[in-house]
Amino acid sequence: MDSIPTHVTQLAETTHALLRLPSPVGRLELTADDEGILSLSIETDGHLPLDSTPESPSSVLRLAAEQLDEYFAGTRQSFDLPVHLTRGTEFQRSVWARLASLNFGNVISYGALGSDVGRPGSGRAIGGAVGANPVPIIIGCHRVLATSGQITGYSAGQGIPTKAWLLNHEGIAHR
């Protein structure tokens, strides 16, 4: 029997609502508590973190599903959803806050992001914080590229192909 990673069991214990929906980048799994969205996971190799947990939708997750459907249909460019970031260091949260301010179709380099949050020259730490974003798509971590415009990685879904799809969807040039 496979063991369940600790972060998944902790998430399941604190989650009050769970909803899954199809998308062009794979199935999405959203969780929320009473204050807002806790996480968005993109299917990886046919699996989602809470696949064995029954869905328990809430009004905020239904609204998120509606807005994500509109985003993927090309009729929505921003999200108006409560996000409840319960995890992460102060540094990670500062990176996520800056990412949340990026508009549809805009891009930032890892270096510029580091400068914006007061940590110039800390590319690895910035990359780690970007990769730890618990709410991808809604908080647009896919909008971070190398200074050259190259995709250097993506921790959600199928990785670089998922990020390339999201960038193409928003008309963001990349290499």
Side-chain angles (χ1 to χ4, degrees):
M1 178 176 190
D2 293 334
S3 63
I4 299 172
T6 304
H7 73 279
V8 171
T9 55
Q10 289 171 345
L11 183 61
E13 290 167 5
T14 60
T15 301
H16 300 287
L18 170 66
L19 179 71
R20 295 180 196 90
L21 64 144
S23 85
V25 294
R27 290 182 306 142
L28 305 180
E29 181 177 81
L30 294 131
T31 64
D33 63 12
D34 294 336
E35 295 183 47
I37 297 168
L38 295 169
S39 69
L40 185 156
S41 300
I42 304 172
E43 181 176 35
T44 303
D45 299 326
H47 302 285
L48 288 164
L50 301 173
D51 255 340
S52 62
T53 304
E55 287 188 62
S56 177
S58 67
S59 58
V60 72
L61 291 184
R62 286 186 191 97
L63 179 61
E66 181 181 314
Q67 290 189 19
L68 284 160
D69 285 343
E70 293 167 353
Y71 168 82
F72 288 119
T75 60
R76 173 173 288 278
Q77 294 189 353
S78 64
F79 295 96
D80 183 20
L81 299 165
V83 174
H84 186 204
L85 298 174
T86 60
R87 297 179 289 168
T89 64
E90 184 177 330
F91 169 70
Q92 288 173 321
R93 289 177 192 217
S94 71
V95 170
W96 302 336
R98 177 62 180 101
L99 291 176
S101 74
L102 288 176
N103 293 322
F104 182 98
N106 290 331
V107 67
I108 192 168
S109 69
Y110 291 94
L113 181 55
S115 293
D116 285 359
V117 299
R119 296 279 299 268
S122 57
R124 275 202 186 155
I126 294 294
V130 169
N133 172 17
V135 194
I137 303 172
I138 294 171
I139 296 178
C141 55
H142 59 280
R143 298 178 182 131
V144 184
L145 297 172
T147 305
S148 66
Q150 183 173 350
I151 298 174
T152 57
Y154 194 62
S155 60
Q158 298 304 317
I160 290 174
T162 300
K163 184 169 184 171
W165 191 98
L166 293 166
L167 294 170
N168 290 339
H169 178 65
E170 294 190 17
I172 297 172
H174 58 88
R175 299 180 330 139

